[in-house]
């Protein structure tokens, strides 16, 4: 199926959490996997304080490849707990628990359709200290498929994915910031309910986020854009590109681009919302850059979320 995927540095301006974009049902959370949409800014609390957050996110995406179209709708809920003051008075450690469900519809040339139901769960641990932040996420998902063809029962599956990201945010005058990021994702695919392992893959990714903060009509807005390059550096069996698109052992070198544009609005010190559009490109085999030869898959979508903190 598909998979989707979030932002900020001084703790008084950002939740120390990052997420992912198109490629896993969790990416919809927008701040738990990739460095592409972190939670909204918060006022700096006193040292050794606790912060709590509740999040609700919805997303829709569509992928196209040769003779195949896939549409995915995802709903995600998450809660997070942050402890400020771990080794210093200003660093912070955050844990996020996430639950998600995706509904996928696949249409192939000839009129054959397949529907997939994909529940997922993940846990993320993130550490923030000044401009530096790092996070680790473990994700599990289950896929149940049905087909429009009589007497055809598509195989169900399951998967695990482990992602590490590291980033550093540089702040500039006029509230402008730039944040380079780098990370790795290791994915494993299994038969139904984690039965027999079918394959695995290792992805390297790196990119950059740029944004700023401004006041508009009495509210704070935080626009940002991001771009990321990724490459499958190892694969065996029926692995997965970011836990989504099948990759055989001979497809090492599969690469792609991801990008997003997001606007976060702080309505009150506790309540915020965001709207994001994103897209990605996957190519097999390995041209120097996606979109130049090879078998390609393009993915585009949007997501919106609400966050409340206390």
């Amino acid at each position: 199926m598909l998979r989707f995927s979030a932002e900020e540095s001084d703790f008084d301006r950002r939740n120390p959490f990052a997420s992912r974009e198109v490629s896993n049902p969790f990416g919809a959370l927008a701040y738990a996997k990739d460095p592409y949409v972190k939670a909204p800014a918060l006022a700096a609390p006193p040292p050794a304080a606790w912060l709590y957050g509740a999040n609700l996110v919805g997303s829709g995406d569509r992928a196209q490849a040769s003779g195949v179209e896939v549409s995915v709708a995802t709903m995600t809920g998450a809660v997070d707990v942050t402890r400020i003051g771990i080794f210093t008075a200003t660093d912070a450690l955050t844990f996020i628990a996430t639950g998600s469900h995706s509904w996928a519809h696949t249409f192939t040339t000839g009129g054959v359709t397949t529907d997939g139901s994909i529940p997922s769960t993940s846990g993320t641990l993130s550490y923030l200290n000044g401009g530096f932040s790092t996070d680790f996420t473990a994700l599990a998902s289950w896929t149940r498929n049905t087909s429009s063809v009589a007497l055809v029962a598509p195989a169900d599956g399951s998967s695990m994915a482990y992602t590490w990201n590291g980033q550093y945010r540089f702040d500039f005058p006029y509230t402008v910031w730039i944040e380079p990021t780098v990370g790795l994702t290791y994915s494993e695919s299994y038969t139904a309910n984690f039965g027999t392992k079918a394959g695995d893959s290792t992805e390297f990714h790196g990119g950059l986020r740029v944004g700023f903060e401004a006041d508009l009509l009495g509210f704070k807005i935080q626009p940002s854009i991001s771009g990321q390059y990724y490459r499958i550096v190892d694969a065996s069996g029926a692995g997965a590109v970011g836990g989504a698109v099948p990759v055989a052992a001979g497809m090492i070198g599969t690469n792609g681009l991801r990008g997003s544009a997001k606007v976060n609005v702080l309505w009150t010190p506790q309540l915020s919302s965001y709207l994001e559009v994103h897209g990605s490109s996957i190519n097999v085999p390995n041209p120097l850059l996606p979109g130049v030869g090879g078998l390609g898959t393009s993915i585009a979508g949007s997501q919106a979320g609400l966050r409340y903190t206390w």
Side-chain angles (χ1 to χ4, degrees), residues 17-254:
F17 235 69
S19 127
R20 165 159 190 110
E21 198 192 3
V22 183
S23 288
N24 113 59
F26 268 116
L29 177 54
Y31 75 74
K33 276 208 62 123
D34 258 339
Y36 278 136
V37 196
K38 291 185 183 173
L42 299 172
W50 292 88
L51 293 176
Y52 306 91
N55 309 266
L56 180 64
V57 175
S59 71
D61 291 74
R62 185 175 182 176
Q64 290 184 310
S66 178
V68 180
E69 292 185 4
V70 183
S71 299
V72 177
T74 302
M75 289 298 298
T76 302
V79 294
D80 56 81
V81 180
T82 298
R83 169 73 172 183
I84 301 175
I86 305 301
F87 303 110
T88 70
T90 57
D91 66 349
L93 188 68
T94 297
F95 173 74
I96 298 179
T98 306
S100 179
H101 200 110
S102 295
W103 296 267
H105 180 75
T106 303
F107 177 84
T108 59
T109 302
V112 178
T113 62
T114 302
D115 292 308
S117 176
I118 313 168
S120 305
T121 185
S122 74
T124 301
L125 195 63
S126 175
Y127 176 74
L128 170 72
N129 191 342
F132 171 78
S133 63
T134 184
D135 55 84
F136 177 81
T137 297
L139 177 149
S141 63
W142 298 258
T143 302
R144 302 181 182 92
N145 296 309
T146 58
S147 174
S148 64
V149 179
L151 304 179
V152 173
D156 295 339
S158 54
S159 64
M160 290 291 300
Y162 309 90
T163 298
W164 167 83
N165 293 298
Q167 44 271 327
Y168 195 93
R169 172 167 156 165
F170 299 90
D171 291 301
F172 297 94
Y174 305 105
T175 71
V176 174
W177 51 265
I178 297 176
E179 187 174 56
T181 181
V182 65
L184 291 170
T185 296
Y186 174 71
S187 302
E188 296 178 318
S189 59
Y190 296 85
T191 56
N193 299 316
F194 301 98
T196 302
K197 183 175 178 178
D200 57 32
S201 67
T202 302
E203 172 195 302
F204 169 82
H205 50 263
L208 188 72
R209 289 187 310 117
V210 180
F212 67 94
E213 182 178 289
D215 292 322
L216 180 66
L217 301 176
F219 304 107
K220 287 188 179 298
I221 62 169
Q222 299 170 327
S224 63
I225 58 173
S226 63
Q228 189 180 78
Y229 174 84
Y230 65 95
R231 184 177 180 87
I232 303 300
V233 296
D234 188 33
S236 64
V241 175
V245 180
V247 172
M251 294 183 182
I252 296 174
T254 298

